[in-house]
Amino acid sequence: MKWLSIVFVVWATSISAASNVHLDEANIKPTDKESLRRGAEYFSNYCYNCHSIALMRFSRISTDLEISEEDIIKSLMFTGAKVGDNMKVNMRSEEAKRWFGTAPPDLSVIARARGVDWLYTYLRSFYRDESRPWGVNNATFKDVAMPHVLWDLQGLQTPVFKTIRDEEGVEHNVIERFELVVKGKQTPQEFDNTVRDIVNFLHYVGEPAKQTRLALGKWVIGFLVFFFIIVYLLKKEYWR
Protein backbone atom coordinates (compact mmCIF):
# COMPACT_ATOMS: atom_id res chain seq x y z
CA MET A 1 0.00 0.00 0.00
CA LYS A 2 1.32 3.42 -0.98
CA TRP A 3 0.64 5.09 2.32
CA LEU A 4 2.64 2.42 4.13
CA SER A 5 5.77 3.29 2.14
CA ILE A 6 5.39 6.94 3.15
CA VAL A 7 4.91 6.07 6.81
CA PHE A 8 7.89 3.71 6.72
CA VAL A 9 10.26 6.29 5.24
CA VAL A 10 9.26 9.00 7.71
CA TRP A 11 9.46 6.55 10.63
CA ALA A 12 12.77 4.96 9.63
CA THR A 13 14.53 8.21 8.85
CA SER A 14 13.32 9.95 12.00
CA ILE A 15 14.62 7.18 14.27
CA SER A 16 18.14 6.57 13.09
CA ALA A 17 19.83 9.75 11.98
CA ALA A 18 18.92 12.71 14.08
CA SER A 19 22.28 14.35 14.72
CA ASN A 20 24.05 17.64 15.04
CA VAL A 21 26.12 17.13 11.90
CA HIS A 22 26.77 20.26 9.88
CA LEU A 23 24.82 20.12 6.63
CA ASP A 24 26.20 21.52 3.39
CA GLU A 25 23.84 23.45 1.15
CA ALA A 26 22.66 21.42 -1.83
CA ASN A 27 21.87 24.48 -3.97
CA ILE A 28 19.69 22.42 -6.30
CA LYS A 29 17.84 23.92 -9.25
CA PRO A 30 14.38 22.30 -9.44
CA THR A 31 13.65 23.94 -12.80
CA ASP A 32 16.85 22.64 -14.42
CA LYS A 33 15.57 19.72 -16.51
CA GLU A 34 19.04 18.77 -17.68
CA SER A 35 20.04 18.29 -14.04
CA LEU A 36 16.87 16.31 -13.38
CA ARG A 37 17.53 14.05 -16.38
CA ARG A 38 21.08 13.38 -15.23
CA GLY A 39 19.83 12.74 -11.70
CA ALA A 40 17.24 10.27 -12.99
CA GLU A 41 19.91 8.35 -14.89
CA TYR A 42 22.33 8.30 -11.95
CA PHE A 43 19.54 7.17 -9.64
CA SER A 44 18.56 4.39 -12.04
CA ASN A 45 22.15 3.16 -12.39
CA TYR A 46 23.29 3.42 -8.77
CA CYS A 47 20.26 3.48 -6.47
CA TYR A 48 17.35 1.77 -8.20
CA ASN A 49 18.77 -1.73 -7.70
CA CYS A 50 17.81 -1.52 -4.01
CA HIS A 51 15.66 1.56 -3.49
CA SER A 52 12.27 1.93 -5.12
CA ILE A 53 10.38 5.16 -5.71
CA ALA A 54 7.05 3.38 -5.86
CA LEU A 55 4.92 6.54 -5.98
CA MET A 56 6.50 7.53 -9.30
CA ARG A 57 5.81 6.11 -12.76
CA PHE A 58 8.27 5.94 -15.64
CA SER A 59 5.66 7.61 -17.84
CA ARG A 60 5.40 10.59 -15.46
CA ILE A 61 9.16 11.10 -15.63
CA SER A 62 8.99 10.84 -19.42
CA THR A 63 6.36 13.59 -19.58
CA ASP A 64 7.70 15.94 -16.91
CA LEU A 65 11.36 15.76 -17.88
CA GLU A 66 10.68 15.64 -21.62
CA ILE A 67 12.39 12.29 -22.16
CA SER A 68 11.13 10.09 -24.97
CA GLU A 69 9.78 6.67 -24.06
CA GLU A 70 12.57 5.11 -26.11
CA ASP A 71 15.20 6.91 -24.03
CA ILE A 72 13.35 6.04 -20.81
CA ILE A 73 13.47 2.37 -21.73
CA LYS A 74 17.12 2.56 -22.73
CA SER A 75 18.50 4.60 -19.82
CA LEU A 76 16.17 4.03 -16.86
CA MET A 77 14.44 0.67 -17.23
CA PHE A 78 16.44 -2.51 -16.62
CA THR A 79 13.91 -4.86 -15.01
CA GLY A 80 11.51 -5.62 -17.84
CA ALA A 81 8.92 -3.18 -16.49
CA LYS A 82 6.51 -1.26 -18.70
CA VAL A 83 6.58 2.50 -19.19
CA GLY A 84 3.31 2.93 -17.28
CA ASP A 85 4.51 0.95 -14.26
CA ASN A 86 5.46 2.33 -10.87
CA MET A 87 9.18 2.32 -10.11
CA LYS A 88 9.39 -0.64 -7.77
CA VAL A 89 12.37 -2.93 -7.22
CA ASN A 90 12.33 -6.70 -7.59
CA MET A 91 14.38 -7.34 -4.47
CA ARG A 92 12.48 -9.27 -1.82
CA SER A 93 12.42 -7.78 1.65
CA GLU A 94 13.61 -11.09 3.15
CA GLU A 95 16.69 -11.09 0.91
CA ALA A 96 17.38 -7.42 1.63
CA LYS A 97 17.26 -8.03 5.38
CA ARG A 98 19.67 -10.94 5.02
CA TRP A 99 22.13 -8.86 2.96
CA PHE A 100 21.85 -5.46 4.61
CA GLY A 101 20.32 -6.19 7.99
CA THR A 102 17.25 -4.14 7.05
CA ALA A 103 15.15 -3.60 3.94
CA PRO A 104 16.24 -0.50 1.96
CA PRO A 105 13.44 2.08 2.28
CA ASP A 106 11.38 3.45 -0.56
CA LEU A 107 12.71 6.91 -1.47
CA SER A 108 9.55 8.48 -2.89
CA VAL A 109 9.38 11.12 -0.17
CA ILE A 110 12.90 10.97 1.28
CA ALA A 111 13.72 14.52 0.14
CA ARG A 112 10.64 15.84 1.92
CA ALA A 113 11.29 13.77 5.06
CA ARG A 114 15.00 14.57 5.35
CA GLY A 115 15.54 17.72 3.34
CA VAL A 116 17.78 18.22 0.34
CA ASP A 117 20.72 19.52 2.39
CA TRP A 118 20.75 16.35 4.50
CA LEU A 119 20.67 14.13 1.40
CA TYR A 120 23.42 16.12 -0.28
CA THR A 121 25.66 15.92 2.80
CA TYR A 122 24.87 12.25 3.45
CA LEU A 123 25.77 11.01 -0.04
CA ARG A 124 29.15 12.79 0.17
CA SER A 125 29.99 11.66 3.74
CA PHE A 126 30.90 8.00 3.33
CA TYR A 127 34.36 7.13 4.60
CA ARG A 128 36.50 4.02 4.96
CA ASP A 129 35.81 2.04 8.14
CA GLU A 130 37.05 -1.56 8.20
CA SER A 131 34.98 -2.33 11.29
CA ARG A 132 31.75 -2.05 9.29
CA PRO A 133 30.32 -4.93 7.20
CA TRP A 134 30.69 -3.01 3.91
CA GLY A 135 34.00 -1.42 4.89
CA VAL A 136 32.51 2.08 5.05
CA ASN A 137 30.68 4.28 7.52
CA ASN A 138 28.92 7.61 7.18
CA ALA A 139 29.53 10.81 9.12
CA THR A 140 25.94 12.00 8.67
CA PHE A 141 24.24 8.67 9.44
CA LYS A 142 26.53 6.72 11.76
CA ASP A 143 26.62 2.92 11.28
CA VAL A 144 24.27 3.06 8.33
CA ALA A 145 23.66 -0.35 6.70
CA MET A 146 23.99 1.05 3.18
CA PRO A 147 27.20 0.44 1.19
CA HIS A 148 28.91 3.33 -0.57
CA VAL A 149 27.34 2.74 -3.98
CA LEU A 150 28.92 5.86 -5.50
CA TRP A 151 32.48 4.97 -4.47
CA ASP A 152 33.70 4.43 -8.03
CA LEU A 153 32.73 8.02 -8.83
CA GLN A 154 33.90 9.67 -5.61
CA GLY A 155 36.72 7.35 -4.65
CA LEU A 156 37.41 6.40 -1.03
CA GLN A 157 38.13 8.88 1.74
CA THR A 158 39.32 8.60 5.32
CA PRO A 159 38.36 10.91 8.17
CA VAL A 160 40.70 13.25 10.00
CA PHE A 161 39.60 13.58 13.62
CA LYS A 162 39.96 16.36 16.13
CA THR A 163 39.30 16.37 19.87
CA ILE A 164 36.69 18.68 21.32
CA ARG A 165 35.48 19.19 24.88
CA ASP A 166 31.75 19.36 25.58
CA GLU A 167 30.00 21.54 28.16
CA GLU A 168 30.60 18.94 30.87
CA GLY A 169 34.32 18.80 30.14
CA VAL A 170 34.24 15.40 28.46
CA GLU A 171 36.49 15.00 25.42
CA HIS A 172 35.15 13.59 22.16
CA ASN A 173 36.77 12.76 18.84
CA VAL A 174 34.85 14.28 15.94
CA ILE A 175 35.50 14.30 12.22
CA GLU A 176 37.14 17.54 11.13
CA ARG A 177 37.53 16.77 7.42
CA PHE A 178 38.07 13.97 4.92
CA GLU A 179 41.14 13.02 2.92
CA LEU A 180 40.80 11.26 -0.43
CA VAL A 181 42.99 8.13 -0.43
CA VAL A 182 41.62 6.38 -3.53
CA LYS A 183 40.69 8.52 -6.51
CA GLY A 184 37.38 7.97 -8.26
CA LYS A 185 36.33 8.52 -11.84
CA GLN A 186 35.26 12.07 -11.07
CA THR A 187 36.98 15.05 -9.51
CA PRO A 188 35.57 16.26 -6.17
CA GLN A 189 33.75 19.09 -7.95
CA GLU A 190 32.31 16.74 -10.56
CA PHE A 191 31.16 14.36 -7.84
CA ASP A 192 29.49 17.18 -5.92
CA ASN A 193 27.58 18.07 -9.09
CA THR A 194 26.60 14.43 -9.59
CA VAL A 195 25.21 14.22 -6.05
CA ARG A 196 23.44 17.53 -6.58
CA ASP A 197 21.72 16.07 -9.67
CA ILE A 198 20.60 12.98 -7.73
CA VAL A 199 19.25 15.10 -4.89
CA ASN A 200 17.50 17.37 -7.38
CA PHE A 201 15.80 14.35 -8.92
CA LEU A 202 14.69 12.99 -5.53
CA HIS A 203 13.36 16.45 -4.65
CA TYR A 204 11.29 16.35 -7.85
CA VAL A 205 10.07 12.81 -7.08
CA GLY A 206 8.81 13.94 -3.66
CA GLU A 207 6.38 16.41 -5.28
CA PRO A 208 6.33 16.16 -9.09
CA ALA A 209 3.65 18.85 -9.45
CA LYS A 210 5.47 21.44 -7.32
CA GLN A 211 6.78 23.59 -10.18
CA THR A 212 3.38 23.57 -11.88
CA ARG A 213 1.73 24.48 -8.60
CA LEU A 214 4.13 27.36 -8.01
CA ALA A 215 3.67 28.65 -11.56
CA LEU A 216 -0.12 28.51 -11.30
CA GLY A 217 -0.03 30.05 -7.84
CA LYS A 218 1.39 33.31 -9.20
CA TRP A 219 -1.49 33.63 -11.67
CA VAL A 220 -4.08 32.74 -9.02
CA ILE A 221 -2.73 35.34 -6.62
CA GLY A 222 -2.60 37.91 -9.41
CA PHE A 223 -6.21 37.15 -10.32
CA LEU A 224 -7.33 37.46 -6.69
CA VAL A 225 -5.59 40.83 -6.35
CA PHE A 226 -7.18 42.06 -9.59
CA PHE A 227 -10.58 40.70 -8.53
CA PHE A 228 -10.27 42.40 -5.13
CA ILE A 229 -9.60 45.76 -6.80
CA ILE A 230 -12.63 45.37 -9.07
CA VAL A 231 -14.88 44.35 -6.16
CA TYR A 232 -13.60 47.22 -4.03
CA LEU A 233 -14.30 49.76 -6.79
CA LEU A 234 -17.76 48.29 -7.34
CA LYS A 235 -18.45 48.48 -3.63
CA LYS A 236 -17.47 52.16 -3.52
CA GLU A 237 -19.60 52.90 -6.57
CA TYR A 238 -22.59 51.01 -5.19
CA TRP A 239 -22.56 52.69 -1.78
CA ARG A 240 -22.08 56.12 -3.28
Side-chain angles (χ1 to χ4, degrees):
M1 297 176 68
K2 293 182 178 180
W3 65 271
L4 282 177
S5 67
I6 299 176
V7 171
F8 176 78
V9 169
V10 175
W11 171 78
T13 54
S14 63
I15 287 180
S16 304
S19 66
N20 295 320
V21 176
H22 169 75
L23 300 182
D24 299 325
E25 292 186 11
N27 293 320
I28 62 172
K29 297 180 180 179
T31 59
D32 186 348
K33 291 190 177 181
E34 286 296 329
S35 170
L36 292 170
R37 294 186 194 106
R38 292 192 300 268
E41 188 166 353
Y42 280 123
F43 178 88
S44 182
N45 282 280
Y46 288 93
C47 310
Y48 188 41
N49 290 328
C50 300
H51 293 283
S52 63
I53 43 175
L55 302 185
M56 175 60 67
R57 296 181 186 273
F58 291 104
S59 55
R60 178 66 187 263
I61 293 176
S62 175
T63 301
D64 290 350
L65 305 189
E66 299 175 359
I67 307 174
S68 67
E69 290 190 1
E70 292 77 10
D71 288 338
I72 285 285
I73 294 172
K74 180 172 63 176
S75 60
L76 303 185
M77 300 173 62
F78 310 111
T79 61
K82 298 179 180 179
V83 175
D85 290 346
N86 293 84
M87 296 184 67
K88 300 178 181 180
V89 297
N90 293 326
M91 182 188 300
R92 299 183 191 176
S93 59
E94 298 81 10
E95 295 175 342
K97 289 179 181 178
R98 185 170 68 250
W99 295 335
F100 303 106
T102 184
D106 180 275
L107 300 184
S108 297
V109 294
I110 189 66
R112 299 179 68 178
R114 285 293 193 183
V116 294
D117 291 344
W118 188 92
L119 281 177
Y120 178 69
T121 305
Y122 166 72
L123 290 174
R124 295 160 52 252
S125 297
F126 282 91
Y127 62 89
R128 180 179 283 177
D129 182 352
E130 299 299 334
S131 68
R132 299 296 300 157
W134 296 100
V136 292
N137 210 325
N138 191 282
T140 305
F141 194 152
K142 183 175 173 54
D143 295 339
V144 66
M146 175 178 163
H148 186 15
V149 295
L150 300 174
W151 76 269
D152 65 320
L153 300 179
Q154 182 187 29
L156 294 175
Q157 54 188 8
T158 58
V160 176
F161 291 92
K162 68 176 180 179
T163 302
I164 63 171
R165 192 182 301 272
D166 62 22
E167 296 178 353
E168 298 178 355
V170 180
E171 293 186 345
H172 301 274
N173 288 328
V174 298
I175 297 175
E176 182 179 20
R177 67 182 188 278
F178 294 108
E179 289 184 351
L180 194 66
V181 293
V182 178
K183 290 185 178 181
K185 296 178 181 178
Q186 298 181 338
T187 66
Q189 183 60 50
E190 289 172 340
F191 182 71
D192 287 351
N193 291 333
T194 293
V195 173
R196 189 172 288 112
D197 291 337
I198 296 173
V199 172
N200 200 17
F201 174 70
L202 289 174
H203 174 265
Y204 150 75
V205 168
E207 191 179 355
K210 182 176 182 178
Q211 298 307 314
T212 302
R213 173 173 58 80
L214 292 176
L216 289 176
K218 297 176 183 178
W219 289 100
V220 171
I221 292 175
F223 170 78
L224 291 175
V225 171
F226 176 76
F227 183 71
F228 172 79
I229 294 173
I230 297 298
V231 170
Y232 177 75
L233 294 176
L234 287 173
K235 174 256 184 187
K236 288 188 64 177
E237 183 66 22
Y238 178 79
W239 285 105
R240 189 174 63 178

